[in-house]
Amino acid sequence: MDKLLSVEQLTPSHIEEIFNRAQTFKRKGIKKELNGDWVLMFLEPSTRTRLSFEKALQHLGCRTYLFSSESSSMKKGETLLDTVLTLKAQGFDGLVIRTPINGQLEEIKDLDIKVVNAGDGTNEHPTQALIDAFTLKEIFGNLEGLKILYVGDINFSRVFRSGLKLLKKLNARVGICAPRSLKPTDLSLLGVDKDFNNIEEALAWCDVAIFLRIQKERQNKPLITSERDYLKTFGLTPQRAQFLRNHGKFYMHPGPVNRNVEISAQEVYGKNSLILRQVENGVFIRAAVIDFLYSNEG
Ligand code: NCD
């Protein structure tokens, strides 16, 4: 396997292999001489994803090159396919790509170059799903039967779409809780075990709640009445965070957090928040995925 474009490519044994590598990197540090040239192509904003890939690649002994979308020939209308053929001709070995367009990486799936999908539109974000599952495995030991709840902007979330597929492969149970306006009408809810409208009932059901950012940039009209109301009806208020803690439950968020919308400002890094642990694990999982692509060549 030379590309990770979708969670669908991963078997449970691939996942285990990636987790084992990540665990070793976390324990012993990331140190390798893979000696590749990688382009970081981020056609959408990013802080943690881009920097964690960059750090991971550099520790693996690869050189990283930034592709700036604003000043690239894609602005002049060059397709992704032509851009990647150009980079391949220049001798680059791999690409980490984030794009606002669902499924755009299909264009380059047959090219002989390594690729990691760092998020395509509302479609997939496989490394974030791996980070979240790995973080849960560290806490709970095993994901089998674990009840994981996604709260919020299910409709526009690639983190949810990849997460659902990955967690089902690991035999976890997945629930959702969202206002009707943020629930998908397509088939992406296939495989969801529970569909809640009431956050209190949802939090009582789950072992861990993953709060999702309201993706305003993808919505062409406002889909929540007000941010204050949203926090009250679907957000993690201090009372709800306390409820989770009292019952030994945890909460997560892939970031970036809208404080006082998805989570009360004072609870973002509160006790039982796994948010910074997700960020920390991001570097190890991304290093593990790239190392995995090198070791599964051919
Ligand atoms: C997510 C993304 O870009 O999909 N962020 C991330 O990668 N950590 C989630 C988001 O933007 O809400």
Side-chain angles (χ1 to χ4, degrees):
M1 190 186 304
D2 66 346
K3 296 182 184 62
L4 178 59
L5 304 184
S6 163
V7 161
E8 271 155 38
Q9 296 167 255
L10 299 173
T11 62
S13 74
H14 290 143
I15 298 165
E16 197 184 309
E17 198 183 326
I18 292 170
F19 285 179
N20 287 342
R21 278 170 207 267
Q23 202 177 33
T24 307
F25 286 147
K26 190 166 180 176
R27 225 180 22 238
K28 300 192 176 155
I30 308 168
K31 203 153 175 38
K32 283 248 168 168
E33 291 302 330
L34 296 180
N35 197 28
D37 284 316
W38 280 69
V39 179
L40 302 168
M41 189 187 278
F42 278 73
L43 311 176
E44 264 190 3
S46 171
T47 303
R48 67 214 87 216
T49 304
R50 181 169 74 71
L51 283 168
S52 57
F53 270 112
E54 190 163 5
K55 185 163 190 228
L57 280 160
Q58 294 197 7
H59 281 253
L60 289 170
C62 293
R63 290 159 297 274
T64 56
Y65 300 79
L66 262 194
F67 178 97
S68 155
S69 59
E70 282 310 300
S71 57
S72 79
S73 289
M74 284 181 91
K75 274 265 157 201
K76 300 181 189 165
E78 187 163 50
T79 63
L80 180 68
L81 177 63
D82 288 331
T83 305
V84 174
L85 283 170
T86 303
L87 298 174
K88 195 167 132 37
Q90 286 172 337
F92 286 102
D93 305 292
L95 306 160
V96 176
I97 309 184
R98 168 170 288 187
T99 164
I101 302 172
N102 288 25
Q104 193 183 21
L105 305 189
E106 285 293 301
E107 271 182 46
I108 55 167
K109 72 172 192 320
D110 297 324
L111 300 187
D112 182 21
I113 189 165
K114 293 182 175 56
V115 179
V116 183
N117 180 359
D120 63 321
T122 62
N123 184 39
E124 281 247 20
H125 193 355
T127 56
Q128 187 65 45
L130 287 163
I131 291 165
D132 297 349
F134 179 79
T135 304
L136 288 171
K137 199 156 178 265
E138 281 186 331
I139 301 286
F140 293 96
N142 187 354
L143 270 62
E144 192 132 357
L146 196 72
K147 294 186 210 126
I148 298 148
L149 175 75
Y150 284 91
V151 183
D153 196 347
I154 307 290
N155 192 31
F156 290 95
S157 178
R158 56 195 177 204
V159 172
F160 163 72
R161 283 190 181 74
S162 283
L164 172 63
K165 287 181 209 163
L166 187 78
L167 293 168
K168 295 308 294 179
K169 280 181 199 265
L170 299 172
N171 297 320
R173 303 188 63 202
V174 177
I176 60 159
C177 180
R180 189 129 332 273
S181 60
L182 296 178
K183 280 185 187 166
T185 49
D186 63 16
L187 293 178
S188 54
L189 289 187
L190 226 63
V192 166
D193 298 289
K194 286 272 184 184
D195 178 358
F196 295 95
N197 298 313
N198 177 284
I199 183 83
E200 262 66 50
E201 283 171 25
L203 295 179
W205 172 80
C206 71
D207 298 306
V208 56
I210 304 181
F211 291 84
L212 298 169
R213 183 175 66 84
I214 305 283
Q215 310 260 313
K216 277 192 235 154
E217 74 278 19
R218 301 190 205 282
Q219 306 172 354
N220 46 23
K221 57 175 199 235
L223 292 174
I224 56 171
T225 41
S226 81
E227 295 188 338
R228 275 232 335 258
D229 273 5
Y230 180 84
L231 179 66
K232 268 200 258 158
T233 45
F234 288 98
L236 188 71
T237 58
Q239 294 73 17
R240 290 178 187 137
Q242 197 49 48
F243 171 83
L244 293 179
R245 285 190 280 271
N246 289 346
H247 292 84
K249 303 177 186 222
F250 292 83
Y251 57 96
M252 304 168 87
H253 191 304
V257 176
N258 290 309
R259 285 173 169 248
N260 295 322
V261 182
E262 297 104 34
I263 301 183
S264 283
Q266 70 194 84
E267 297 295 351
V268 176
Y269 307 119
K271 191 166 170 288
N272 289 23
S273 162
L274 299 177
I275 294 174
L276 291 177
R277 197 195 277 234
Q278 290 170 275
V279 176
E280 180 193 358
N281 286 337
V283 180
F284 303 113
I285 282 287
R286 285 170 177 137
V289 165
I290 288 157
D291 192 35
F292 170 80
L293 295 184
Y294 274 91
S295 67
N296 282 272
E297 278 172 320

